[in-house]
């Protein structure tokens, strides 16, 4: 013969389940390491880069929309970014040693490096991991399909250029070369 429990028994079991679920959520939320709580997974970063990668400061024009999209791209890949709007962007680029021929619409500074233009987050992480003796990286101009410049299924070929304080430069990575 089947046993039937009273409605108050079912209510007590249900309430206990709710309390246990709430406790589990609270424990998960408050006891996680900072990198998990902030959405940055240690596996998103190359070997040698801690989840607490240095913060990046990005200088851009107050009216630049693609700069906002690039900052969003960086944040989605685990970077902490402070965006500073400035009317003296060209002066800032000169102060930071960005060659005019490698210029783009925004300039980032992370640690001792300058990141000019729409550089993919993976290349910034690679730069921080290998720590070459260079001034920084650049994606000159504003190529369609680079982070922050997405336009549907259009992709212009572009290079991520590494540049040094003496003005020399070379290719650090290439994208969409066979399009």
């Amino acid at each position: 013969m089947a046993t039937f429990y009273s409605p108050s028994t079912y209510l007590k079991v249900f309430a206990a389940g709710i309390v246990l679920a709430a406790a589990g959520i609270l424990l998960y939320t408050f006891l996680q390491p900072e990198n998990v709580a902030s959405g940055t997974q240690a596996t998103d970063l190359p070997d040698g880069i801690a989840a607490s990668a240095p913060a990046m400061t990005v200088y851009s024009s107050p009216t630049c929309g693609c700069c906002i999209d690039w900052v969003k791209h960086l944040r989605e890949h685990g970077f902490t970014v402070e965006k500073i709007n400035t009317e003296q962007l060209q002066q800032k680029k000169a102060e930071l040693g960005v060659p005019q021929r490698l210029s783009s619409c925004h300039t980032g500074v992370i640690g001792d490096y300058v990141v000019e233009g729409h550089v993919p987050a993976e290349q910034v992480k690679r730069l921080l991991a290998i720590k070459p003796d260079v001034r920084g990286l650049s994606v000159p101009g504003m190529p369609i399909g680079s982070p922050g410049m997405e336009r549907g299924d259009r992709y212009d070929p572009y290079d991520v250029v590494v540049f040094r304080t003496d003005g020399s430069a070379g290719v650090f990575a290439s994208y969409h070369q066979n399009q």
Side-chain angles (χ1 to χ4, degrees):
M1 177 180 253
T3 304
F4 293 98
Y5 297 101
S6 70
S8 65
T9 302
Y10 285 110
L11 186 57
K12 289 175 188 174
V13 170
F14 180 73
I18 295 294
V19 168
L20 286 172
I25 291 169
L26 287 172
L27 283 172
Y28 177 80
T29 302
F30 292 109
L31 296 180
Q32 290 297 307
E34 285 184 19
N35 64 329
V36 175
S38 69
T40 303
Q41 300 295 324
T43 56
D44 291 341
L45 302 170
D47 292 340
I49 298 295
S52 60
M56 183 183 292
T57 302
V58 175
Y59 301 93
S60 69
S61 164
T63 59
C64 184
C66 66
C67 299
I68 293 168
D69 292 341
W70 185 67
V71 166
K72 180 180 174 188
H73 165 77
L74 291 172
R75 288 178 177 150
E76 288 172 350
H77 287 84
F79 288 93
T80 300
V81 182
E82 176 187 11
K83 186 176 176 298
I84 298 176
N85 294 328
T86 179
E87 298 292 340
Q88 284 78 41
L89 189 56
Q90 295 309 316
Q91 179 181 338
K92 190 64 162 173
K93 291 175 187 295
E95 289 172 10
L96 293 169
V98 176
Q100 191 171 17
R101 72 184 188 285
L102 299 180
S103 186
S104 184
C105 60
H106 53 261
T107 305
V109 177
I110 186 165
D112 293 331
Y113 296 110
V114 174
V115 180
E116 177 70 13
H118 295 270
V119 176
E122 67 184 339
Q123 298 307 326
V124 177
K125 290 178 182 180
R126 182 173 156 226
L127 175 77
L128 296 173
I130 63 176
K131 297 179 178 141
D133 184 19
V134 299
R135 185 67 191 122
L137 298 177
S138 173
V139 170
M142 299 169 62
I144 302 298
S146 60
M149 290 295 298
E150 294 87 355
R151 302 293 183 269
D153 61 353
R154 180 175 162 202
Y155 298 95
D156 293 343
Y158 68 93
D159 291 326
V160 176
V161 177
V162 62
F163 61 96
R164 294 164 190 82
T165 54
D166 66 2
S168 63
V171 175
F172 193 72
S174 294
Y175 287 83
H176 312 296
Q177 299 301 316
N178 297 323
Q179 301 281 325

